[in-house]
Amino acid sequence: MDQHQLKNNRYWNWLPAAFALAGVIVFIFATFGPPASSSGFVSTLKGALSNVVPDYVQSKVHYRIIPGPGSWLFTFILGMAIGGFIGGRTLKRSITDVPSLWRRRFGDSQITRYTATFLGGFLILFASRLAGGCTLGLFISGSTQLALSGLYFGVLIFGFAMLTARLIYGKEEK
Amino acid sequence: MIDKLLLGLFSGIAFGFVIQRSGATDPDRMTRSHLMIDANIPQFMLATVALSAVGLFGLQTAGIGHTVILPISLVATGLAAAIFGIGWGLCGYCPGTTWAAVGEGRLDAVFALVGGMAGAAVFAHLHERLIPLLYDPTNMGRLTVPDLIGNHFLALVIVLFIICIIIYLIGRIWKNDSTTD
């Protein structure tokens, strides 16, 4: 594993990466509006649940205010998965299902890691839907529009994530 | 209609590719950012905001584009940010990076995605109860920095200046030992 990592390709540095992503975001503002990704989860759910319990979906405000799978929001998150796929295929870099910092702290049990990411995923989506957006839809989109909601959310998510990581992983020296 | 869907798909592919290349889909990298031993991701996110804000200002000057300002609710937005931060610190994924990381082939991201679906479904079920309770009482409306300052351009300059200072400080304070890998 370790000699494998020496051959890993490097990720892009933050500044060229920021120019690239800002280009994509400005394109999205010009052709659609503020980009968002947590709403895409609701779109997917709406599509899935409409086949099973259509009356329930009709009765809930949250599904009424977010469009279903026939929408920009849905094709955008689908595209994100495709973009991640293309990125992964074209970058020589090993990936692990249990990240190395996690393994050092909790061992290499996949069950433990998957339980934690399930719980983490639950929390970030529950919270995003309460706030009306996530890292992209509220922090990045909001702050780009100089909205107080986005700046306020951004400061707090970084603060709480840093605190949580500190508590979970302890003080990491390397 | 089909144009909109194709635009969304194209935008998503470009977005997913760039966040994969920046390392944001790597939960190990994200955790290192939170532990203040890798400065790249927070600097990347902040620089993206700054550059996008300049680009959006350009669009607005040219009369193009579409903006939607989300309201700020002191309690709901703050509480949501706290819950979000705990989840983000725990798993190293945020909603957007989850999709790109699944595409990249990370199995732990698949569980984050399924957990996210469950979290969104639970919130959607409780929306009618939680929004009047947590969101509405302290909803201060769709406020922006230009609303406070009274001048759009000046507000942009101030926000950009503050972001640049934070990017500089992150570069100084974070240990950044992973620029070699």
Side-chain angles (χ1 to χ4, degrees), chain B residues 9-26:
Chain B
L9 191 67
F10 171 74
S11 304
I13 292 172
F15 201 103
F17 180 83
V18 175
I19 60 173
Q20 191 278 336
R21 273 297 192 277
S22 70
T25 57
D26 182 343

Side-chain angles (χ1 to χ4, degrees), chain A residues 10-12 14 31 41 56 60-62 70 72 75 87 90 97 100-101 113 117 145-146 148-149 152, chain B residues 1 4-5 8 21 26 28-29 35 40 67-68 70 74 91 99 107-108 115 125 127-128 143 145 179:
Chain A
R10 289 176 60 168
Y11 289 126
W12 287 351
W14 63 273
T31 55
F41 281 79
Y56 173 77
K60 299 308 270 183
V61 174
H62 210 72
W72 188 98
T75 52
T90 54
D97 298 328
S100 63
L101 274 179
R113 173 63 186 166
T117 54
Q145 300 169 88
L146 310 177
L148 285 186
S149 51
Y152 176 58
Chain B
M1 187 61 203
K4 271 267 181 265
L5 298 185
R21 273 297 192 277
D26 182 343
D28 215 37
R29 196 103 195 268
L35 291 171
N40 256 283
T67 58
V68 180
L70 290 177
L74 282 183
C91 66
W99 287 86
L107 265 179
D108 59 345
H125 186 72
H127 179 111
E128 288 84 351
L143 284 179
V145 182
T179 41

Side-chain angles (χ1 to χ4, degrees), chain B:
Chain B
M1 187 61 203
I2 190 76
D3 298 354
K4 271 267 181 265
L5 298 185
L6 288 174
L7 274 173
L9 191 67
F10 171 74
S11 304
I13 292 172
F15 201 103
F17 180 83
V18 175
I19 60 173
Q20 191 278 336
R21 273 297 192 277
S22 70
T25 57
D26 182 343
D28 215 37
R29 196 103 195 268
M30 195 62 92
T31 300
R32 301 169 73 85
S33 315
H34 292 152
L35 291 171
M36 301 171 76
I37 51 178
D38 187 333
N40 256 283
I41 303 291
Q43 288 180 315
F44 161 61
M45 290 169 70
L46 288 167
T48 297
V49 168
L51 293 166
S52 302
V54 175
L56 180 62
F57 186 78
L59 288 184
Q60 288 172 321
T61 309
I64 317 168
H66 176 58
T67 58
V68 180
I69 307 283
L70 290 177
I72 175 169
S73 162
L74 282 183
V75 171
T77 312
L79 178 69
I83 300 171
F84 188 100
I86 293 169
W88 192 23
L90 173 66
C91 66
Y93 289 115
C94 40
T97 64
T98 303
W99 287 86
V102 167
E104 204 184 355
R106 295 178 187 275
L107 265 179
D108 59 345
V110 174
F111 286 84
L113 192 133
V114 175
M117 289 293 172
V122 170
F123 182 80
H125 186 72
L126 298 174
H127 179 111
E128 288 84 351
R129 241 174 294 172
L130 293 182
I131 293 294
L133 183 73
L134 298 170
Y135 204 103
D136 296 339
T138 54
N139 184 349
M140 299 167 71
R142 301 172 188 276
L143 284 179
T144 64
V145 182
D147 292 335
L148 301 184
I149 294 175
N151 180 311
H152 194 112
F153 185 71
L154 186 64
L156 176 67
V157 170
I158 291 172
V159 170
L160 291 180
F161 182 68
I162 294 171
I163 290 178
C164 288
I165 290 176
I166 299 174
I167 291 175
Y168 171 77
L169 288 177
I170 289 174
R172 293 298 298 266
I173 298 168
W174 267 241
K175 268 192 242 147
N176 223 9
D177 62 356
S178 74
T179 41
T180 47
D181 79 330

Side-chain angles (χ1 to χ4, degrees), chain A residues 94-169:
Chain A
S94 57
I95 57 166
T96 48
D97 298 328
V98 183
S100 63
L101 274 179
W102 180 273
R103 199 175 327 124
R104 214 179 302 168
R105 177 75 180 81
F106 296 103
D108 48 16
S109 157
Q110 285 167 321
I111 306 285
T112 314
R113 173 63 186 166
Y114 296 165
T115 309
T117 54
F118 179 90
L119 185 64
F122 185 98
L123 293 175
I124 57 174
L125 260 300
F126 182 89
S128 296
R129 297 325 306 154
L130 172 59
C134 54
T135 320
L136 177 59
L138 186 52
F139 167 57
I140 295 181
S141 284
S143 303
T144 294
Q145 300 169 88
L146 310 177
L148 285 186
S149 51
L151 296 164
Y152 176 58
F153 188 74
V155 169
L156 289 177
I157 60 171
F158 272 106
F160 276 93
M162 287 165 66
L163 199 67
T164 306
R166 233 345 107 92
L167 290 173
I168 291 177
Y169 292 93

